[in-house]
Amino acid sequence: MIVAIDGPSGAGKSSVAKACAKQLGFSCLDTGAMYRALAWLALERGVSLDDDAALGKLACTCTITFGHVTGDPVPRSVSIDGREVTDDIRTARIDKAVSPVSAAPSVRKAMLEQQRRIGLNGDYVVEGRDIGTAVFPDAELKVFLTASPEERAHRRVRQNADRGVGSIDYPEVLADIVRRDECDSSRATNPLRPADDAIHIDSTDRYIEDIIAQIVEMARHTQEVLR
Ligand code: DC
């Protein structure tokens, strides 16, 4: 079974997806981390961020792997072509580079294929922007998670402060969120939009625990119906 969680940057998808996966005993796939790892590799190799063909070639030939600790469905690390980039992909440098990389049509095609292959390996909670619309259009449960841009910027600042990675300047973070919303929603290939059959959840004034409980309950109900 696939639980697809889509939504804009900073809506809480990662925390929600990880907690839901743990409670359901599903694996968890963070597709944003794959685009971020590719953006890191493009910068490392000096590939131009507006060269669709070169980025596509990189996406087809690179190997992205997630590192697991036994018994935990949520990966602890991400590597690309053998280089561990878990923290490096969360920097402001990658926040900027990942938009053009993820807008490249040949990159999206390669990533979609990789993500579908991974999803064949069992039950997954998959988070991203186009999971319910393009990668897994037949996902058994689709959630579109949103929050106001201001709330998302506050959360991102707190998260960056906790991690010690990324900007903690609120106006800068808010401007970046607005810029990325615009990029994600206006790109030609698989833009960010809710699937017609997605359940919309606005997390602005809600506790994350409530949202996790709501999604877990819906997933268990769906499993029952499918049995
Ligand atoms: O969720 P995130 O902020 O880590 O995602 C990083 C970038 O990748 C973001 O700019 C949107 C893009 N992305 C995408 O286009 N499609 C996905 N399925 C996941 C992420």
Side-chain angles (χ1 to χ4, degrees):
M1 169 170 169
I2 298 282
V3 177
I5 303 184
D6 289 305
S9 174
K13 296 187 303 294
S14 283
S15 315
V16 166
K18 283 178 190 160
C20 288
K22 281 193 176 170
Q23 291 188 27
L24 291 164
F26 287 15
S27 300
C28 188
L29 178 62
D30 172 359
T31 60
M34 298 174 73
Y35 286 99
R36 285 172 178 275
L38 186 67
W40 180 90
L41 192 65
L43 293 180
E44 179 79 3
R45 301 259 171 97
V47 173
S48 167
L49 300 186
D50 54 17
D51 186 341
D52 179 64
L55 288 171
K57 195 166 166 211
L58 201 61
C60 288
T61 52
C62 73
T63 306
I64 300 174
T65 48
F66 290 95
H68 286 270
V69 173
T70 315
D72 188 348
V74 177
R76 294 283 166 89
S77 63
V78 55
S79 301
I80 186 158
D81 284 359
R83 298 276 298 275
E84 214 238 76
V85 293
T86 316
D87 290 333
D88 289 348
I89 61 170
R90 302 291 161 191
T91 58
R93 186 175 82 104
I94 301 298
D95 282 350
K96 294 222 158 40
V98 72
S99 293
V101 169
S102 63
S106 53
V107 165
R108 299 210 70 83
K109 184 168 178 288
M111 288 292 170
L112 179 141
E113 283 164 13
Q114 278 206 37
Q115 290 157 12
R116 281 192 183 153
R117 266 199 302 277
I118 295 172
L120 290 176
N121 296 324
D123 295 323
Y124 266 88
V125 177
V126 188
E127 56 136 321
R129 303 291 190 290
D130 59 345
I131 308 307
T133 50
V135 183
F136 294 110
D138 296 329
E140 287 82 355
L141 177 62
K142 299 178 186 176
V143 172
F144 195 77
L145 189 62
T146 56
S148 70
E150 293 75 16
E151 172 66 19
R152 289 186 280 132
H154 279 301
R155 287 181 193 165
R156 187 48 59 92
V157 166
R158 281 199 297 272
Q159 195 181 51
N160 288 349
D162 288 348
R163 281 187 179 143
V165 184
S167 173
I168 52 166
D169 179 56
Y170 174 79
E172 185 190 350
V173 172
L174 178 60
D176 188 58
I177 280 190
V178 171
R179 180 189 63 77
R180 279 209 278 157
D181 283 357
E182 174 60 24
C183 286
D184 291 347
S185 312
S186 64
R187 69 168 169 248
T189 312
N190 301 344
L192 170 69
R193 64 168 181 82
D196 292 340
D197 51 350
I199 290 155
H200 291 242
I201 299 180
D202 185 338
S203 69
T204 307
D205 295 316
R206 291 185 58 189
Y207 288 113
I208 191 167
E209 291 77 12
D210 283 350
I211 292 166
I212 294 162
Q214 183 185 353
I215 297 173
V216 167
E217 197 190 313
M218 288 190 298
R220 290 207 170 117
H221 177 73
T222 308
Q223 273 181 317
E224 283 300 313
V225 172
L226 291 174
R227 249 188 216 128

